[in-house]
Each structure stands twice: as structure tokens, then as C-alpha cells.
Amino acid sequence: MPKDAPPNGDAWPEQIPEGEMGPRRKVSEMQAKLHRWAVADPGRRFDDLFNLVHDPATLLVAFDRVAGNRGAGTPGVDGLTVAYVEEEVGVPGFLDDLRAQLKTGIFRPLPVRERKIPKPGGSGKVRALGIPAIADRVVQAALKLVLEPLFEADFLPVSYGFRPRRRPHDAIAEIHHFGTRGYRWVLDADIEAAFDNVSHTAIMDRVRLRVKDKRVLALVKAFLKAGILTELGEHRNTYTGTPQGGILSPLIFNVVLSVLDEHVMAPWKNDGPMSTSGKRAYRRSKGRPTWRIVRYCDDFVILVHGSQADTQALREDVADVLEPLGLRLSPAKTQVVHMSDGFDFLGFRIRWKRKRGSNKWYVYTFIADRAKRSVRAKIRALTHKTSQQDFASVLKRLASIMRGWANYFKHAVAKWTFDKLDTFTWWRLVHMLRARHGWNWGQLRRHLKDGSGRWVIAAGGVEYFSLSKRMTIIRYAYRGNKIPCPWPPANPA
């Protein structure tokens, strides 16, 4: 998954007004019931879910989700886009036909279209995404609407990736919280080609723990086996893995990797040897370690209050847990590090270090070098001296890139980095203007200084977005186990 992961937004972003009816209200109530039943009976296997998947309200909400995604304009192997369906086919007719295919059992997912994109950070490596057809995306979104409330009842709070109302910043705050409490040895883990290698058998075994409906199980398996149409036009069967880019893939991966969460966190269960702060302190007084995992989809770290040897032993233990899932740790990228040396996670650089001018040590969160290189590369590409783009459009696009990047990193120790990036971008724009208009420095000053002597870069009513002036660094509040559930109980206490 991308290291500079965006916030998760799959649950409803706001409460639906009590009086509002329609598909959203119906689906939300359906999800709340499923979640409530799953929480009440941890061993329950759900049957008759297929009718919920092809329900008209579910499909309509699923289509809205697909239409609202950034990839709505990217076609799959069938060449269709959301816009084409809306304008040429008609959404009601499209969904009626899709529902009929599901009900009669003739629906078959098409192979995903492979598209390779550069990995962030300027490494030169590429990541293969799988782009499903529009109909497949809608069905996957419908499946997720039905299955997510069931599995959310079982997921542990140490998992943050692609879960409703959870953000990468929650994972970073968790690391900061435990790092300041003595968990200073870190297993910084990387699973090798996780989405490509995860075992289909392991996936289906975990899904069956909650799902009894054979039609839903067959649909999930069909998406796993749909195959890939490569960029060279070759069809490749998929015997393992779930394609990155599929709407259902992150949920499926969280389901299967919850095996790891449960194994590592087993001592934290009620009555376990790490279930209370007193028990954890007693273990450490006897020279035995305590640990805690923090996972964001396929990226995870294990924080250890113990020694380097204890952390190394956990590495071997984790490898044994992953093996039956078809996964293995990357020997090159998985490392045991002390927090004083620092490590990168989700675009941040986390390090335990001495505060300047004092003898006190704190856990600091900085912006990782790769994230800086990534945003600089985007700015360079947009502000080339020979570019003929409309300058107002350049400023708008720059503002979008920088605002989004800064909003993600504004909770880090970032002021100096924001200032440096501001200076870098300002000079890129200055050199772009000089080359475009042939201005010397005197002419540049006359054009860019206003009546008060302030430098202003603007065009078409759009002013340059200055990070140092517009963005405020604020500390992210650690939420721990207080992250709200998107499906509250019917009668909350």
C-alpha cells in the first residue's frame, strides 16, 4: 500500500439526519443491525446475506460510492466509465441489469486491468494496480457494505488501515503513546508483495468464520479468481493475491491479517499476562518483555518494552504466523531498530531523541525523507521553466498538492520542513516567470511587489499558497480505544 496513506473515509462521514429516508438511511440501518448482531454473538455465522448484497438500495449506495471515488473516470477492461454509465446507459437501467445478473447467478467478474504506477519517493520502482470494470466495482462496493459491519465487530483496535473513522494519524499517535512509555525497541516489518501473495485458501477460511451464505462466499472467491489483463494485453490467472485497487481488497486483507493481530495481542486479552498495567509491570520486573503491534493494512510495527533479543525473537514468531497465509517478511526491508535510531512509518519519521538544550528525551514525529522527495518531484514536474501551462492553473494545482500534503503532515514536527518547501516552491515559480516573460530581477520586483512592498505571486485572481503562512502545526490527539464506531448500538448506555 502507499506509504503516504490518506485518511480513511469508508464509513458515512456524518450522521444521517433522523428524518431522512431513502437508500442511505436503509443501508445504514442494515449495517447497524448486522454489526450489533455480530458484536452480541462473536461466533455467529451469517446466512441470507446475498439478498442484502443485491438489494436495490445497497446497489444504489454502492454505485454512489464508486462514482465518488477518484478512479471513477478510469475504465476497466470493458472500457466503461462512471460518466458513460450515467450519460449513455442510465444508472437505473444499469443497476437493474446488474441486479438481475446477480439474482439469476449469471454474474461473472471480468479480469482486472493492470496499470503500473510509480511508487512514491522517486525510487524508480512501480506498483501494479488492478482496475476492475465498473459493474465489478459496484458489486464489490455492495459486498463491502454488507460484510464490513460483520468483520468490524472482530477487528482489534491495533489495526488502523482502511477502516471506518480511523486514520494513519491514529496509528502514529499509538506509536508515540507507547514509545514514551518505554516501548523503544521496534520490529519495523515489511511483507513482501503482500497483496500479490496472500493465500486464497487463507482468505476464504477467515471469511467463512463469519459468513455462511454460499452465494456470498462464491462471489468473494470469484473476485479473487477473476484474473488480470496485463498492460501487454495478456491474460494472467490469479492463484494467489487480491489486486490493489479493488474496493474489496483492503477489507479482505484486513480480514486475513487479523490472524496476526490476534496472535500478537493474545496476551492483552482479559486475564492475559499483559491485560493490565500491573501485570505488564510485573513481567518487566522479572526481565520478561511486553509488546504491542500497530498495523496499517500490510504495514506494521511491533513495539517492544524489552531487549533487542526479545524483538528478534518476535520477528521469528511473526514469520511463523505469516507463513500459512502465503506471506513472508522481506529480508531486506524488515529490521529490528531502537527508537533512538528512528524508523519510517506511513510517511513519518519517528525517533526518540534528546530535546535540544536539555537532558530530557522525547519521542518526536518528523516527516520522512521519502515523503519530502515525493512532493518535491510533483512540484518540479508542475513548475518547469519551459512549461506553457496557464499560470493560474499552475497555482491552483500547486495549492491542491501542497494543501493536501501539509494537511497530512501538519501534526508532525514540520515547521522547518514547511518553510524549506515554501522557499523551494517560491523560487521554482520565480524562475518559471523569469523564463516565461524574459524578466530581469528589476522587472521581476516591479511585477511581484505590491504597494506595501510585499512579494505576491498571483494570476487570474489565484494567489500562491504559502505553507508557512497558511498552515498551522497542531498536535494530534491520541484517541486510543475511544475511536467511535460508525454503527452505534440501538440503545446506547
Side-chain angles (χ1 to χ4, degrees):
M1 300 299 292
K3 302 296 181 184
D4 302 346
N8 302 319
D10 274 353
W12 303 124
E14 71 284 327
Q15 289 295 106
I16 301 173
E18 198 63 41
E20 180 181 324
M21 299 304 291
R24 281 189 61 188
R25 167 61 64 184
K26 183 178 179 181
V27 171
S28 180
E29 290 176 350
M30 173 269 290
Q31 290 182 306
K33 287 180 181 178
L34 290 175
H35 183 72
R36 187 164 62 250
W37 294 336
V39 170
D41 187 354
R44 178 173 178 178
R45 297 180 66 212
F46 288 78
D47 204 352
D48 201 25
L49 295 175
F50 191 69
N51 290 332
L52 299 177
V53 173
H54 67 64
D55 185 276
T58 308
L59 291 176
L60 184 58
V61 172
F63 184 86
D64 287 343
R65 292 280 183 92
V66 172
N69 288 343
R70 283 185 297 179
T74 306
V77 295
D78 59 354
L80 300 183
T81 64
V82 168
Y84 180 85
V85 170
E86 291 175 335
E87 295 167 10
E88 302 294 332
V89 180
V91 175
F94 175 80
L95 294 181
D96 286 344
D97 181 58
L98 185 57
R99 184 167 186 254
Q101 291 182 47
L102 288 168
K103 288 182 69 177
T104 56
I106 64 172
F107 173 81
R108 294 292 182 274
L110 296 173
V112 298
R113 182 168 71 88
E114 183 183 64
R115 182 180 178 186
K116 294 181 179 179
I117 62 171
K119 287 189 175 182
S123 63
K125 297 180 181 179
V126 295
R127 173 183 289 112
L129 296 181
I131 304 171
I134 292 297
D136 296 348
R137 287 183 228 178
V138 173
V139 176
Q140 285 193 34
L143 271 171
K144 186 176 181 183
L145 287 169
V146 174
L147 296 180
E148 188 172 50
L150 306 182
F151 291 107
E152 274 294 324
D154 301 328
F155 289 159
L156 298 182
V158 295
S159 165
Y160 293 96
F162 303 98
R163 293 181 58 190
R165 296 189 180 174
R166 288 169 173 260
R167 310 181 187 99
H169 307 93
D170 290 312
I172 299 300
E174 177 108 332
I175 295 172
H176 188 278
H177 176 80
F178 283 93
T180 59
R181 285 157 177 79
Y183 289 72
R184 305 256 163 73
W185 280 101
V186 180
L187 173 61
D188 180 14
D190 184 276
I191 301 176
E192 201 169 73
F195 276 75
D196 296 332
N197 294 327
V198 62
S199 163
H200 289 175
T201 301
I203 290 172
M204 296 308 299
D205 286 347
R206 291 296 291 187
V207 174
R208 285 189 190 98
L209 292 179
R210 276 300 194 179
V211 179
K212 191 177 179 181
D213 192 321
K214 292 182 179 180
R215 294 166 298 178
V216 171
L217 292 171
L219 204 51
V220 172
K221 189 172 183 178
F223 280 116
L224 294 176
K225 300 293 186 183
I228 297 172
L229 185 68
T230 69
E231 290 186 326
L232 299 177
E234 300 171 349
H235 182 271
R236 189 169 74 239
N237 292 325
T238 46
Y239 301 106
T240 61
T242 178
Q244 291 193 54
I247 292 174
L248 198 59
S249 294
L251 175 62
I252 286 177
F253 200 85
N254 274 333
V255 168
V256 74
L257 220 59
S258 60
V259 174
L260 177 63
D261 300 341
E262 292 165 5
H263 177 81
V264 175
M265 296 303 293
W268 286 72
K269 286 185 176 179
N270 291 338
D271 299 325
M274 301 183 199
S275 58
T276 66
S277 57
K279 288 183 177 181
R280 293 192 291 273
Y282 177 78
R283 277 181 62 89
R284 293 193 290 267
S285 71
K286 297 297 182 181
R288 286 176 287 174
T290 58
W291 57 80
R292 189 173 180 90
I293 188 173
V294 179
R295 184 173 66 82
Y296 192 94
C297 209
D298 60 326
D299 293 321
F300 68 92
V301 295
I302 299 180
L303 310 174
V304 180
H305 196 310
S307 66
Q308 183 177 9
D310 296 327
T311 313
Q312 190 63 47
L314 274 170
R315 175 176 180 161
E316 306 306 320
D317 188 41
V318 166
D320 291 341
V321 174
L322 293 177
E323 186 178 3
L325 309 179
L327 303 173
R328 63 190 293 265
L329 295 175
S330 168
K333 296 180 181 178
T334 300
Q335 56 180 345
V336 172
V337 296
H338 194 269
M339 205 171 277
S340 60
D341 297 323
F343 64 97
D344 292 353
F345 190 61
L346 302 179
F348 294 89
R349 179 76 177 172
I350 303 168
R351 187 180 173 194
W352 183 58
K353 60 177 294 187
R354 182 176 60 84
K355 183 180 180 181
R356 185 181 298 175
S358 76
N359 290 320
K360 295 182 179 180
W361 288 65
Y362 297 94
V363 176
Y364 289 92
T365 303
F366 303 99
I367 303 175
D369 288 341
R370 191 165 85 163
K372 299 175 194 174
R373 290 196 301 269
S374 178
V375 72
R376 281 174 177 254
K378 292 179 182 178
I379 293 169
R380 282 194 187 95
L382 195 61
T383 57
H384 199 277
K385 282 195 279 189
T386 59
S387 170
Q388 296 302 309
Q389 293 185 71
D390 175 66
F391 195 65
S393 299
V394 171
L395 291 178
K396 285 181 182 177
R397 180 65 185 138
L398 266 181
S400 175
I401 291 171
M402 295 174 71
R403 184 184 289 109
W405 188 85
N407 272 323
Y408 183 80
F409 289 109
K410 68 182 179 182
H411 305 295
V413 181
K415 186 178 186 309
W416 182 84
T417 303
F418 284 1
D419 289 344
K420 293 286 287 184
L421 186 64
D422 227 357
T423 302
F424 169 79
T425 310
W426 193 89
W427 280 107
R428 293 285 304 182
L429 290 171
V430 164
H431 290 306
M432 186 180 184
L433 286 171
R434 286 195 66 203
R436 177 172 293 190
H437 300 290
W439 292 339
N440 59 33
W441 288 107
Q443 292 170 318
L444 185 77
R445 279 194 293 272
R446 286 196 295 274
H447 281 91
L448 298 189
K449 279 193 173 185
D450 62 12
S452 63
R454 185 174 68 97
W455 288 85
V456 178
I457 297 180
V462 183
E463 190 173 332
Y464 166 64
F465 179 84
S466 172
L467 285 181
S468 57
K469 295 176 182 177
R470 302 282 189 90
M471 297 305 301
T472 303
I473 309 297
I474 54 175
R475 183 168 181 174
Y476 189 79
Y478 173 59
R479 298 194 290 168
N481 293 334
K482 298 177 183 178
I483 299 174
C485 172
W487 308 289
N491 298 305

